[in-house]
Amino acid sequence: DTGVSQNPRHKITKRGQNVTFRCDPISEHNRLYWYRQTLGQGPEFLTYFQNEAQLEKSRLLSDRFSAERPKGSFSTLEIQRTEQGDSAMYLCASSLVGQANSPLHFGNGTRLTVT
Amino acid sequence: GESVGLHLPTLSVQEGDNSIINCAYSNSASDYFIWYKQESGKGPQFIIDIRSNMDKRQGQRVTVLLNKTVKHLSLQIAATQPGDSAVYFCAEREYGNKLVFGAGTILRVKS
């Protein structure tokens, strides 16, 4: 399978704990995005990278959230001091910049439950 | 699987009928639009896209129509099948290739 891979698929954590998610994009894609999706809503943009550079962060991304893409390949999203409101599906997507039409290809997400 | 779309609009169609899912977008400067299908427990799956310099694009069993005058996008699915049952999202591209998603529509196909 050469699609976007996310791990873990599910994470249950207690409030106040830190969690880290990993995303492996499609190998030739140079852009990587993180989105968050809550029940009954469309995905909401959090941040994106072009290669290793983080180019934009949403106002949704509080200072408890940090994302990295150190070598321009896989990315991690860390949430510190989790809160119950962080419970959501965290989706990663990748695309190839330079193409006129470059749809985002999504992984199957990491579902976070904060108890 | 998860239960999504508790408050999303729902379209119910009979198997074999055609489906039309509508979407209103917000940014008149958006230049690229995409339809995604999302099944329970999975990420959004690309269906079809269209650039703003077009008003219609066809794929296999799917057609996207774009009306920039009223900022309206529609997805037509021909001969709807049970496997088409899912939540459908339209998305518009803002600067930086960032996509902004609409609220979604549940499609239920009755056999």
Side-chain angles (χ1 to χ4, degrees), chain A residues 9 31 33 35 37 39-43 45 48 56 89 91 95 99-108 111, chain B residues 2-6 8 32 34 36 38 41-44 46 49 51 89 93 95-99 101-103:
Chain A
R9 288 297 315 277
R31 280 201 176 155
Y33 302 77
Y35 279 76
Q37 186 176 28
L39 204 60
Q41 302 292 322
F45 170 80
Y48 86 95
E56 186 177 348
M89 174 79 84
L91 293 163
S95 70
Q99 291 183 331
N101 294 352
S102 183
L104 273 61
H105 297 270
F106 284 86
N108 285 326
R111 174 157 296 285
Chain B
E2 65 183 74
S3 174
V4 296
L6 296 178
L8 296 178
Y32 177 55
I34 307 177
Y36 284 92
Q38 188 172 26
K42 296 186 178 180
F46 170 79
D49 56 4
R51 291 186 62 83
F89 293 98
R93 180 172 66 185
Y95 62 91
N97 211 38
K98 180 179 73 175
L99 292 182
F101 283 78

Side-chain angles (χ1 to χ4, degrees), chain A residues 13-70:
Chain A
T13 191
K14 292 185 177 179
R15 188 177 55 187
Q17 297 295 305
N18 299 342
V19 294
T20 301
F21 311 141
R22 177 179 169 122
C23 172
D24 288 272
I26 294 172
S27 59
E28 64 269 24
H29 284 184
N30 47 16
R31 280 201 176 155
L32 186 148
Y33 302 77
W34 285 100
Y35 279 76
R36 181 171 66 188
Q37 186 176 28
T38 54
L39 204 60
Q41 302 292 322
E44 296 176 298
F45 170 80
L46 292 178
T47 188
Y48 86 95
F49 295 82
Q50 181 162 320
N51 300 313
E52 65 275 9
Q54 189 172 18
L55 298 187
E56 186 177 348
K57 292 191 289 187
S58 165
R59 289 170 298 186
L60 295 175
L61 210 66
S62 78
D63 57 6
R64 296 184 297 105
F65 287 68
S66 62
E68 294 182 343
R69 194 184 184 198

Side-chain angles (χ1 to χ4, degrees), chain B residues 57-110:
Chain B
R57 190 164 189 226
Q58 288 185 291
Q60 187 175 15
R61 280 203 309 120
V62 294
T63 301
V64 55
L65 299 177
L66 174 62
N67 185 332
K68 294 181 290 294
T69 303
V70 295
K71 293 191 287 186
H72 183 268
L73 200 63
S74 69
L75 176 70
Q76 300 177 358
I77 305 174
T80 314
Q81 302 169 0
D84 296 326
S85 294
V87 181
Y88 288 80
F89 293 98
C90 67
E92 58 184 305
R93 180 172 66 185
E94 296 186 349
Y95 62 91
N97 211 38
K98 180 179 73 175
L99 292 182
V100 176
F101 283 78
T105 297
I106 299 171
L107 176 64
R108 289 206 174 106
V109 182
K110 298 175 286 188

Side-chain angles (χ1 to χ4, degrees), chain A residues 101, chain B residues 25 28-33 50-55 66 68 93:
Chain A
N101 294 352
Chain B
Y25 64 91
S28 57
S30 295
D31 66 343
Y32 177 55
F33 304 88
I50 188 168
R51 291 186 62 83
S52 59
N53 60 354
M54 303 172 68
D55 53 21
L66 174 62
K68 294 181 290 294
R93 180 172 66 185

